[in-house]
Amino acid sequence: MDNYASFHQRSIRDPATFWDSQAHRIHWHAPYDRVLDYSRPPFARWFVGGRTNLCYNAVDRHLEELGSSPALIYVSTETGQEKTWTFRELYREVNRMAGILRSLGVAKGDRVLIYMPMVPEAAFAMLACARIGAIHSVVFGGFASVSLATRIDDAKPRVIVSADSGSRAGKAVPYKHLLDEAIRLSKHPPEKVLLVDRGLAEMSRVAGRDVDYAALRAEHMNDEVPCEWLESSEPSYILYTSGTTGKPKGVQRDTGGYAVALAASMELIYCGRKGETYFATSDLGWVVGHSYILYGPLIAGMSTILYEGTPIRPDGGIWWKLVEQYRVTTMFSAPTAIRVLKKQDPALLRKYDLSSLRVLFLAGEPLDEPTARWISEGLGKPVVDNYWQTETGWPILAIQRGVEPLPGKFGSPGLPVYGYDVRLFDAASGEEVGPGTKGVVAINGPLPPGCMTTVWGDDARFVSTYWSSLPGQQAYSTFDWGIRDEDGYYFILGRTDDVINVAGHRLGTREIEESISSHPNVAEVAVVGVTDSLKGQVAVAFTVVKDVAQIETPEQRTAHERDIMRVVDEQLGAVARPARVHFVTALPKTRSGKLLRRSIRALCEGQDPGDLTTIEDPSTLEQILAAVRG
Ligand code: PRX
């Protein structure tokens, strides 16, 4: 193998030859005729004409060699359930689920929305969709009715797969009433709802629409459902993500490109090998869950741990106990989780035998040096930061240890990953900037295999959102600020748009504002992301109420704050709940009416609010300051 620099250069200079040499990592039912079709930029098609199937690559392909080896390891510290499925057993469950979905009318190209807690049936359902060529749209179980309804309306699923309840820190978090409310709100209700009953919460059933998984499974015990051989560019899934507007975008992923990209990353970035165990602590509802709980490890023939629970129950050693018990070699988590563990007894890091573990990968939000040092020294293992997005599906920046184990630098997710032509552009002029100058992190097309191919149902939005924001450039914008040092290492400096990152969860401030605005007594609201030592950022809301008589006393204000939080909980989910709701009589705006979010945020963080020459009413800033100081 050549070194990093030449490997990366080859991937950029001649992407077709480079990716042709990676494509053998997966099974092709029919070979592709062309590696890359970039005749209609920025739309890239990879492995044109090739036919494959994600489920086949994740499951069937391993049956001969690994049939009796563990594939899916389920651990719930919430319910006490712990169970392992071998590749053969997983194959059986996926075929049953595929048989059930087909019996409910699901065919190739149909959407299936999966709104589930971290249960094995969620993984079966995703793989079953892939098997029959249905397009899954997994919605994070922490989202509530309005978030869900928006996604139902956009994806128009034929079937929704859900469950009675999730569980958080030992308490049931019922799902069904949120789902029913979402379906009531939606303009495109599904034909059928397939329900997994965990026995955690009561659920009412809608006759003719709601069907029971256990009962149907019994009828489909022996089903064998053949794989649908999809053309490489046909969609495998949609995953919604937040941006600048209140309407989440459906990131559409292809099939062949994604499988190749994941397979390559498993070796070249994560250094995972067949028969070993991968443990990603994320949730199937997020992109890390799609790529590195489910598809990536299984495609690589590794077993994967699906974990339901918090990092600190029954105690802060639970993850390390699992590492010992299942001989985990590769682990993937988020900085927030490590900051949570930092508050626990450090002796827990040395209590278990971690000799199997090679590397801890962290992603999803900036990794601060103290956290990186603490965990790396505590475990005695290298920590590798990696930077990417729902849109890309796999890392953009990382130290690619499987290519060349170059040293990392604290605070940096490393170097551009092969396939990504990463650049920094000045936001105002669109000119490329060199080392030491802050710019917008962008990628020159074509995006490599595995990245989003378009916005679901809206090609124009794909172009206008991602490829048109830099003056004079047709480059993909990540909407992150970054800076590169003389050695080519990148440092990520935060978002350029209104997206915030709370405990590694990506949220749009506009969505939160829209939700708060639906409260009957709210006239106007601004939500900003404010730095938080544990969660990275938290959402803070400043509201102008219609009837001030309702917030005269401190007790009334507290009650009102709670009531607004309840609205967000019910509509979007507790993950989007602002940490604080402040009341002001007016919001800082420019004379042309533009909200000065950046100034609000700066004041919240005790910083200089910046250029205020265009502000309409400077007293509004004093109100923000007074509110924050409490
Ligand atoms: O702002 C960047 C931040 O998270 C955003 C993407 O979030 P999401 O779509 O949820 O995908 C997460 C995939 C791991 C990015 O635009 N981000 C992600 N990783 C890092 C990061 N910021 C700094 N360092 C990282 N390693």
Side-chain angles (χ1 to χ4, degrees), residues 89-288:
E89 288 162 342
L90 180 61
Y91 171 84
R92 291 296 327 130
E93 290 301 343
V94 170
N95 274 276
R96 288 169 191 141
M97 184 66 92
I100 295 171
L101 291 176
R102 287 221 309 203
S103 77
L104 298 177
V106 178
K108 180 183 163 186
D110 285 343
R111 274 78 59 209
V112 173
L113 189 146
I114 299 172
Y115 178 58
M116 299 276 259
M118 286 287 277
V119 288
E121 291 82 1
F124 304 158
M126 290 169 78
L127 290 165
C129 286
R131 187 168 197 86
I132 62 177
I135 300 166
H136 60 66
S137 166
V138 184
V139 177
F140 174 57
F143 283 136
S145 53
V146 170
S147 311
L148 193 50
T150 318
R151 289 156 174 81
I152 294 173
D153 281 342
D154 195 69
K156 304 181 184 63
R158 187 177 285 269
V159 166
I160 295 183
V161 186
S162 191
D164 57 337
S165 181
S167 179
R168 182 91 189 149
K171 278 218 304 260
V173 184
Y175 276 35
K176 183 61 178 10
H177 67 289
L178 296 171
L179 175 61
D180 286 340
E181 174 63 7
I183 295 176
R184 194 188 64 76
L185 292 171
S186 86
K187 293 178 220 61
H188 296 277
E191 288 162 25
K192 296 284 178 195
V193 174
L194 176 64
L195 291 164
V196 174
D197 189 355
R198 311 176 72 193
L200 294 180
E202 288 288 315
M203 60 178 162
S204 59
R205 289 178 167 83
V206 175
R209 187 197 75 186
D210 296 357
V211 292
D212 185 62
Y213 170 70
L216 283 172
R217 181 174 173 274
E219 289 172 23
H220 292 271
M221 279 310 276
N222 300 316
D223 283 17
E224 290 273 346
V225 180
C227 288
E228 190 74 46
W229 298 110
L230 300 183
E231 197 278 332
S232 179
S233 297
E234 288 186 284
S236 55
Y237 68 75
I238 310 167
L239 181 56
Y240 287 88
T241 194
S242 301
T244 301
T245 68
K247 187 174 179 271
K249 293 177 289 278
V251 166
Q252 180 176 320
R253 196 91 64 211
D254 74 352
T255 297
Y258 186 50
V260 171
L262 290 184
S265 73
M266 288 307 297
E267 180 182 328
L268 301 173
I269 301 172
Y270 299 104
C271 305
R273 295 178 207 128
K274 200 185 273 186
E276 295 181 344
T277 306
Y278 198 102
F279 179 18
T281 67
S282 180
D283 187 288
L284 286 174
W286 303 113
V287 70
V288 177

Side-chain angles (χ1 to χ4, degrees), residues 241-242 286-288 332 335 362-367 385-393 396-397 411-413 478-480 491-495 499 501 504-506:
T241 194
S242 301
W286 303 113
V287 70
V288 177
F332 188 134
L362 296 174
E365 52 180 317
L367 174 60
D385 188 359
N386 53 125
Y387 160 84
W388 46 293
Q389 307 183 302
T390 304
E391 287 86 344
T392 65
I396 304 168
L397 298 172
S412 165
T478 62
F479 297 98
D480 280 303
F491 295 78
I492 301 297
L493 307 171
R495 297 279 303 194
V499 167
N501 196 320
H505 299 328
R506 174 167 163 185

Side-chain angles (χ1 to χ4, degrees), residues 467-523:
W467 298 85
S468 314
S469 68
L470 295 158
Q473 300 284 348
Q474 200 192 43
Y476 168 90
S477 174
T478 62
F479 297 98
D480 280 303
W481 296 111
I483 195 164
R484 184 174 65 228
D485 71 9
E486 291 290 345
D487 301 326
Y489 285 65
Y490 281 76
F491 295 78
I492 301 297
L493 307 171
R495 297 279 303 194
T496 66
D497 59 6
D498 298 327
V499 167
I500 60 172
N501 196 320
V502 180
H505 299 328
R506 174 167 163 185
L507 302 168
T509 50
R510 292 286 163 89
E511 286 161 80
I512 305 174
E513 286 172 359
E514 281 180 20
S515 175
I516 292 177
S517 298
S518 74
H519 186 282
N521 196 31
V522 170

